[in-house]
Amino acid sequence: MKSRMLVYFLLSFVSISAHSQLAEFSGKVTNNKGAGIPNSSVYLLNTTIASVSDAQGNFSFKGLTAGNYEIQISSVGYATLNKEISIGVSGSMAINFTLADASLQLEAVLVSAEKKEAFLQKVPLSISAISSKQVKDYRLWNSQELTALVPNLYSASSGDDRNVTGIRGIATTSYDPAVATYIDGVNQFSLDTYIPQLSDVERIEVLRGPQGTLYGRNAMGGVINIITKQPGNKTSGFAEINIGNYNQQRYNAGIRMPVVKNKLFIGISFMYDKRDGYYKNAFYNNSFDRKDGFMGNYYLKFIPNSKWSFTVNAKHLNNNNHGPFPLVNGVTASFADPFVLKQNAVAKMIDNSFNSSLSINYTGRKFNFSSQTAYQSNYRYYNNPLDGDFSEADAVTVINNYGRKWNNVKAYTEELKFSNAATSSSKLKWTIGTYFFQQNNPTKQATHFGNDAALVGAPDINFSTINTSKGKTTGIAFFGQTTYAITHKLSVIAGLRYDYEKKRYNVLGQYQKDPDPDPQFDTRPDTSASASSNAVSPKLGLAYNISTHSDAFVTYSRGYRTGGLTALSSDPSVPPLYPYKPEYSNNIELGIKNNILNNRLQLNITAFLTYVTDAQVPTLILPDAVTITKNAGKLTSKGIELEIAAKPVKGLQVDYNFGYTDATYKKLKLSQYGTAIDLDGKKQIYTPESTSMLALQYGYAIGKKQLVRLVARGEWFYLGKQYFDLSNSIAQNDHS
């Protein structure tokens, strides 16, 4: 009976789609002299419908559903153009589009920040967008390099290529991010499985401020949305070689092409990079932290008709880090002899990540639908015992090479999303969906104490404490967001998300005495615990169209970072499976976006105020590198952001960004050495007081066909004073 009903529904659905009113749309893409521009890309937003202009610049679409569309036209050497068009129900229509020289006008940028495609300057959000061209201009190779390029963003690596990113003072040092990262729509679930390298990028979008309604957990500071280049009807490829000092080498190559025109497409890209270490290990008198890695990105896209598309994507990153933690004991030693360390136990960290996804998209007359199923994994281990005392002493080493059963994190995610049709002329625009995930995190690690164990206060020598943990996290969310046009100038924004999450851990601690390879007894019997949390993340705002060139918005939003359980460490004074609560934030922001002087000047200004409650404060427990998290305070962050892009004269591009953040703990009580410490009024860590970036680029094309272009470029970055510990005793002054 259920099967018959399903078949009946599908047949009815196909019948309705088949009888919808269809129209034809054609046009021509020209330059300002009226000459046709061949090989121009013409794309209807939030659909699978795209075309490429012929040798005379002509293009056409057939079988379109009548209605309102947003269209994007782009071509090499010309500024991308975005327009809104209306296609009637009868006959055909033709529209010509004129593209301006890219040296005279700013690009019209497309973003998918609200989980649907829209024009950057029309989205009522604090958002920065970095185009493919800008990724090349700034030579961005790693998401860490977004520091200061985006106002109030700071990112740093702990040495193991796990970037810890904060925006507007919402920062963390734990493996649960404060800023969520998405690559081609897939949530990089935790710092275990995410890929920081950038290759063959179409654009990068950075959403500043809490994005809980549409993105959910761990997006309190914002979202980094990275989109790589997908294949289409145009065959294109690239190859790039970069050589630098410290034997830096980076090789990039890729190709995108149609297998069957308008139907089946493939895309493949590769990246290999390596460099020698720039730290010196004085114990062995050789270099430290030498790295090499190989990355691949593979696409297969199938478009059976104008309504459906199927995309399979796989990514992998295989890194070898010969000396992953260039650390020394104590602040004094660190500053006395920078870039020099003494470690007697040197290991290679083998770090293999794999991401895959299946995306299904439907573009309908009444609604759009998408499904994305994703799988992520990371297998990370040290080939030899790793120095845990960061000195020449035989005191502590860390061992975690126990086979693929352990230290192999796996995550499964599924998102189903419905939204209004691309052709909808209704005043109400909406998006609803659900999100499910499951993460399995089995870890096994031994902390070995050697002949010099007494130096770290160990009661014995030549023994190990072996900690195993099996963690499983499952969650589900339901979300929705709408925009309703009260008038042709004023719109109201409303959104709501509900998240539920449950974590369960089993831990076991064992004691093993050398030379016996087997544990002698349990230090912590097999123990299990679970913790669950839920959150409601609302959003409310107003968007106002001041004029053709100016838009303003004011929004309230709530952010949410998941709670959890502490891991098992070798320190007996730290109890395992200690629960900590979720962290919440309330954020208000006011912004204005201007696009003036015939698209030659963009000026965006935002002011924000954020309150964080139940602030999670992570503490690193060495030598295990286990993070213990407690809810210890309240944080207030406020500031302003400025973004300017201009083309004042032909060939000259000016970009300037500025951000100011005052992130202060209004309440922060910590326990240290058995004593309570009051840190009220201290500044947030890893948060520069200000960020600033100025880029100037002048390009000049030579020859009649202008096939060669000479470019001069200069960049200036500035970071204000920031602190690296909660007591604010370790600081870096402002620098540029």
Side-chain angles (χ1 to χ4, degrees), residues 30 42 144 169 175 177 321 375 503 509 527 546 580 647 678 696:
T30 66
V42 184
Q144 178 187 341
Y175 266 52
N321 192 335
Y375 166 78
K503 294 186 177 183
T527 307
I546 301 172
Y580 56 93
K647 288 199 170 178
D678 187 347
L696 302 174

Side-chain angles (χ1 to χ4, degrees), residues 484-500:
Y484 181 75
I486 299 174
T487 69
H488 71 284
K489 284 185 171 291
L490 180 64
S491 297
V492 62
I493 307 158
L496 190 67
R497 184 186 185 101
Y498 173 78
D499 284 90
Y500 173 81

Side-chain angles (χ1 to χ4, degrees), residues 452-496:
D452 300 324
L455 295 175
V456 294
D460 198 358
I461 63 172
N462 297 320
F463 74 98
S464 296
T465 59
I466 304 173
N467 299 328
T468 61
S469 171
K470 295 180 180 179
K472 183 177 180 180
T473 306
T474 305
I476 190 168
F478 304 93
F479 61 89
Q481 182 166 307
T482 65
T483 301
Y484 181 75
I486 299 174
T487 69
H488 71 284
K489 284 185 171 291
L490 180 64
S491 297
V492 62
I493 307 158
L496 190 67

Side-chain angles (χ1 to χ4, degrees), residues 337-496:
D337 204 355
F339 300 102
V340 175
L341 49 86
K342 290 183 179 180
Q343 293 187 15
N344 68 320
V346 179
K348 175 174 69 173
M349 185 178 75
I350 298 160
D351 194 354
N352 297 327
S353 295
F354 177 76
N355 284 5
S356 62
S357 66
L358 168 63
S359 299
I360 302 173
N361 291 279
Y362 168 77
T363 304
R365 186 168 60 91
K366 296 295 185 181
F367 63 87
N368 288 353
F369 164 76
S370 69
S371 165
Q372 185 174 67
T373 307
Y375 166 78
Q376 304 169 59
S377 68
N378 173 259
Y379 180 39
R380 179 184 180 200
Y381 64 96
Y382 314 123
N383 69 331
N384 291 312
L386 181 80
D387 204 316
D389 54 69
F390 313 116
S391 71
E392 64 270 37
D394 180 22
V396 180
T397 52
V398 177
I399 303 163
N400 73 349
N401 189 3
Y402 290 99
R404 297 190 69 90
K405 179 181 176 181
W406 300 100
N407 307 306
N408 195 346
V409 181
K410 299 177 181 179
Y412 307 85
T413 62
E414 171 70 40
E415 183 178 78
L416 302 174
K417 178 168 58 70
F418 294 83
S419 61
N420 58 273
T423 58
S424 174
S425 58
S426 170
K427 293 182 178 181
L428 181 68
K429 308 296 183 184
W430 54 270
T431 299
I432 59 172
T434 183
Y435 176 76
F436 169 82
F437 71 85
Q438 183 177 94
Q439 182 194 47
N440 293 299
N441 186 9
T443 62
K444 186 172 185 178
Q445 180 170 288
T447 304
H448 182 266
F449 297 86
N451 288 315
D452 300 324
L455 295 175
V456 294
D460 198 358
I461 63 172
N462 297 320
F463 74 98
S464 296
T465 59
I466 304 173
N467 299 328
T468 61
S469 171
K470 295 180 180 179
K472 183 177 180 180
T473 306
T474 305
I476 190 168
F478 304 93
F479 61 89
Q481 182 166 307
T482 65
T483 301
Y484 181 75
I486 299 174
T487 69
H488 71 284
K489 284 185 171 291
L490 180 64
S491 297
V492 62
I493 307 158
L496 190 67

Side-chain angles (χ1 to χ4, degrees), residues 25 41-51 59 61 64-65 68-73 83 85 87 97 110 117 363 422-423:
F25 168 51
S41 175
V42 184
Y43 169 60
L44 302 181
L45 272 61
N46 296 299
T47 73
T48 60
I49 304 169
S51 180
F59 67 90
F61 297 106
L64 293 180
T65 302
N68 298 321
Y69 288 89
E70 293 176 312
I71 189 170
Q72 182 184 63
I73 306 99
K83 288 286 187 181
I85 60 172
I87 299 177
F97 299 95
L110 179 70
E117 293 171 326
T363 304
T423 58

Side-chain angles (χ1 to χ4, degrees), residues 135-158:
V135 169
K136 294 178 182 178
D137 290 342
Y138 288 111
R139 299 179 63 80
L140 299 180
W141 290 357
N142 191 296
S143 60
Q144 178 187 341
E145 295 161 359
L146 293 172
T147 295
L149 186 60
V150 175
N152 287 325
L153 183 149
Y154 178 80
S155 184
S157 171
S158 59

